[in-house]
Amino acid sequence: MSAKVKTLERKGSSLAEKIYFVEIFKGMATTFGHFWRNLLDNSNLYVRHYPEVEPEIPVRWRGRHRLTSHEDGTVKCVACFMCQTNCPAECISIEAGERLDDKAEKMPVKFNIDLLECIYCGYCVEACPLDAIRMDTGIYSVTDNNRESFVLGLEELLQTPGAFSEEEYKKGGA
Amino acid sequence: MALGLEAKLGDNVMTSTLDYIVNWGRENSLWPFVYGTACCAIEFMSTAASLHDISRYGAEVVRFSPRQADLLLVCGTVSYKQAPILKRIYEQMPEPKWVIAIGACASSGGIYDNYCTVQGIDTIIPVDVYISGCPPRPEAILDGLMKIQNQIKGETVLEDRHKDFKGILD
């Protein structure tokens, strides 16, 4: 079987191309064409001006975590330790306590996520049987000067709202 | 860090004005050295590429020699065998120098909680900014860079930073 081979004519053999002089000016014409076009009208630049223009975060993108709550504002988590067991980076640490409001038997007293250990894999979201932990906050940038401030507590995780509506989140299939 | 001025001038109006000018120059011309060992380095390449364009912050001159750089970006897993190399690279950089730990592996070891991985490069060298993520988005790296720039604004040429740092290799 002979493969279909297309033979192309080799360029660069003529005298004008061999002395490079004209070709250099041709190349510089392209370069300076781009340069002047972008300098005179910078509205069509490819660059996203980040701190001013934020990127679009899709629904299924795994951002920083949050804990969801019931309609009356109590935490949905029942401290079953599924997420902590499933976490490959071992960044979740839960301390369970007794729950007194008849919704479940247990609730977390402490729920710490170390964001520096976290690899944002989303296994905690998949493991959760009650949809209590989600990664739909749309927060994509967490930076700080010391390691201690990366440990999120129960209050901070509960207070962060989701960035998307319930319908969008369900449609995303997360 | 000090420019030999404290002996001549001391802490007065002259040096605070000098601080302002020197810091303005330093924060807008950070030359990064990328210690890239893993996927976070690929994300840094995206930061340096045209969509995010790190040169808007004056940090596009990526040096491949630590002696010409003043911002060390540690992108990726650092094993104990690499630790002396990282330490040596940090020591080869001239003062003033800043360090960003990019991603989970460099900042805390991440999922590699084993016998051969350094559990955070701040056990070896002093770190100024940590960035969470695995790998972090280019926007997060830019945020870390802006944090360093803000930090430089508040510094003075009279003080040495991290003079009393003691790591596991010291």
Side-chain angles (χ1 to χ4, degrees), chain B residues 96-110:
Chain B
K97 52 195 170 188
W98 296 271
V99 180
I100 303 183
I102 293 175
C105 293
S107 305
S108 70

Side-chain angles (χ1 to χ4, degrees), chain A residues 9-22:
Chain A
E9 192 192 339
R10 204 179 171 87
K11 293 199 172 175
S13 52
S14 72
L15 183 68
E17 283 164 341
K18 265 184 180 166
I19 56 174
Y20 287 118
F21 195 67
V22 185

Side-chain angles (χ1 to χ4, degrees), chain B residues 36-118:
Chain B
T37 49
C39 44
C40 290
I42 307 292
E43 216 61 20
F44 175 80
M45 290 173 205
S46 175
T47 315
S50 46
L51 181 58
H52 300 97
D53 199 8
I54 206 169
S55 66
R56 294 181 291 138
Y57 303 90
E60 82 274 28
V61 196
V62 182
R63 292 287 111 174
F64 294 98
S65 158
R67 290 178 196 272
Q68 298 167 347
D70 54 5
L71 175 66
L72 179 61
L73 298 160
V74 184
C75 316
T77 328
V78 178
S79 61
Y80 278 111
K81 196 162 184 176
Q82 280 178 334
I85 303 170
L86 178 63
K87 172 88 181 156
R88 187 162 173 192
I89 282 176
Y90 178 76
E91 281 167 353
Q92 279 182 340
M93 285 167 65
E95 288 277 357
K97 52 195 170 188
W98 296 271
V99 180
I100 303 183
I102 293 175
C105 293
S107 305
S108 70
I111 56 169
Y112 304 109
D113 191 3
N114 52 24
Y115 69 96
C116 62
T117 310
V118 175

Side-chain angles (χ1 to χ4, degrees), chain A residues 46-58 61-62 64 87-90 114-121 139-150, chain B residues 50-53 56-57 103-105 107-111 113 119-123 127-134 136-144 146-147 151:
Chain A
Y46 185 62
V47 180
R48 185 193 291 139
H49 296 268
Y50 163 58
E52 291 85 25
V53 183
E54 301 214 341
E56 248 179 63
I57 299 297
W61 196 77
R62 299 188 296 272
R64 216 202 72 193
C87 181
E90 294 171 2
D114 190 346
L115 286 181
L116 272 189
E117 292 273 0
C118 176
I119 55 162
Y120 296 82
C121 59
I139 299 172
Y140 51 82
S141 163
V142 187
T143 58
D144 217 313
N145 298 94
N146 55 325
R147 268 170 88 156
E148 291 76 34
S149 62
F150 281 92
Chain B
S50 46
L51 181 58
H52 300 97
D53 199 8
R56 294 181 291 138
Y57 303 90
C105 293
S107 305
S108 70
I111 56 169
D113 191 3
Q119 298 298 303
I121 56 158
D122 52 0
T123 55
V127 178
D128 293 298
V129 170
Y130 300 87
I131 301 174
S132 160
C134 187
R137 284 180 72 103
E139 288 88 3
I141 297 178
L142 290 179
D143 272 347
M146 282 187 271
K147 236 185 176 60
Q151 185 188 323

